[in-house]
Amino acid sequence: MSANQETATRVPPGQTLTQGFPVLHYGSVPYYNDMSLWNFRLFGLVEEEVTLSYQEFIALPRQEFRNDIHCVTTWSKLDNVWEGVAVAEVMKRVKLKPEAKYVMLHAEHGWTTNLPLEDFLKETSLFALKHNGELLTPDHGYPVRMVVPHLYFWKSAKWLRGIEFMASDKPGFWERNGYHMYGNPWKEQRYDFD
Ligand SMILES: Nc1nc2c(c(=O)[nH]1)N[C@H]1C(S)=C(S)[C@@H](COP(=O)(O)O)O[C@H]1N2
Ligand SMILES: [Mo]
């Protein structure tokens, strides 16, 4: 396979490559001036709720991840390098109740997105702190965003503040507004009628 053909196999149907890094979100960008007010909560179907402070979160062991991202508005961006915390690292700190099967990601300003627990726990999912060597900018989700590269990028909540563990699937912000409940880019699960 030529380099071009190989690249083509990495781009899902209906997507176009971009070299830039577009900024997309609903509402305003949060700016933080006192990180002591920031925390990260694991709640819902857990034996005991866990709250991590900013200092505790940034002290978690980090890894480097490389992946491709696919936005439902049809841009894809290959070879992103993220520094972040593996989901498994955070999950060492919480015990789930057996009924937990789905998660709701909770971001600043009440923005949410839902996904199956299994997809959240995938080894490729991460809590990102840096993109291509630089701290996340406010636009891209500072201080922490989720990255779930195998689903459309709207599942990758910016300004993440908590994970809620749930027994059944519930729609998040865009899912209530017509986006697909799962969002597999390889099946073009863009909107709920796809
Ligand atoms: N908190 C929050 N996270 C969000 C969104 C949002 O509106 N609020 N939009 C999602 C959508 S639709 C996309 S495509 C990506 C865009 O991320 P980027 O701006 O870093 O490219 O963020 C996702 N995460
Ligand atoms: Mo999006």
Side-chain angles (χ1 to χ4, degrees), residues 12 70-72 113-116 119 148-155 169 175 179-192 194:
H70 312 293
C71 173
V72 71
T113 190
N114 57 298
L115 62 158
D119 294 82
V148 183
H150 70 288
L151 300 178
Y152 278 125
F153 203 38
W154 88 78
K155 300 284 183 182
D169 204 6
E175 295 82 3
Y179 281 35
H180 199 277
M181 286 293 271
Y182 185 63
N184 180 345
W186 299 97
K187 295 188 178 166
E188 286 202 73
Q189 293 173 338
R190 297 175 192 273
Y191 307 103
D192 65 359
D194 290 331

Side-chain angles (χ1 to χ4, degrees), residues 42 46-48 50 90-96 165:
L42 303 165
V46 295
E47 295 298 343
E48 231 177 293
V50 173
V90 168
M91 294 306 291
K92 284 181 191 165
R93 287 152 179 87
V94 71
K95 191 170 186 324
L96 294 185
F165 298 91

Side-chain angles (χ1 to χ4, degrees), residues 57-186:
F57 197 96
I58 62 170
L60 295 170
R62 299 187 194 180
Q63 274 169 238
E64 193 176 279
F65 297 80
R66 180 182 287 263
N67 57 39
D68 301 339
I69 57 184
H70 312 293
C71 173
V72 71
T73 63
T74 76
W75 57 267
S76 288
K77 181 172 174 59
L78 305 183
D79 290 317
N80 299 278
V81 178
W82 306 92
E83 182 180 309
V85 179
V87 172
E89 193 59 57
V90 168
M91 294 306 291
K92 284 181 191 165
R93 287 152 179 87
V94 71
K95 191 170 186 324
L96 294 185
K97 294 196 170 161
E99 311 90 89
K101 293 288 181 295
Y102 290 86
V103 303
M104 188 69 84
L105 308 181
H106 289 263
E108 216 61 66
H109 309 319
W111 192 90
T112 53
T113 190
N114 57 298
L115 62 158
L117 179 65
E118 195 185 335
D119 294 82
F120 169 74
L121 295 177
K122 233 171 129 78
E123 267 180 40
T124 48
S125 303
L126 71 136
F127 301 106
L129 297 155
K130 289 188 176 184
H131 178 263
N132 292 351
E134 306 285 344
L135 271 187
L136 293 181
T137 60
D139 279 356
H140 288 295
Y142 175 86
V144 180
R145 78 175 302 160
M146 189 84 219
V147 177
V148 183
H150 70 288
L151 300 178
Y152 278 125
F153 203 38
W154 88 78
K155 300 284 183 182
S156 293
K158 304 196 273 193
W159 315 298
L160 189 64
R161 291 291 302 272
I163 313 293
E164 179 184 1
F165 298 91
M166 314 186 293
S168 55
D169 204 6
K170 286 195 198 102
F173 177 81
W174 283 121
E175 295 82 3
R176 280 197 302 278
N177 288 283
Y179 281 35
H180 199 277
M181 286 293 271
Y182 185 63
N184 180 345
W186 299 97

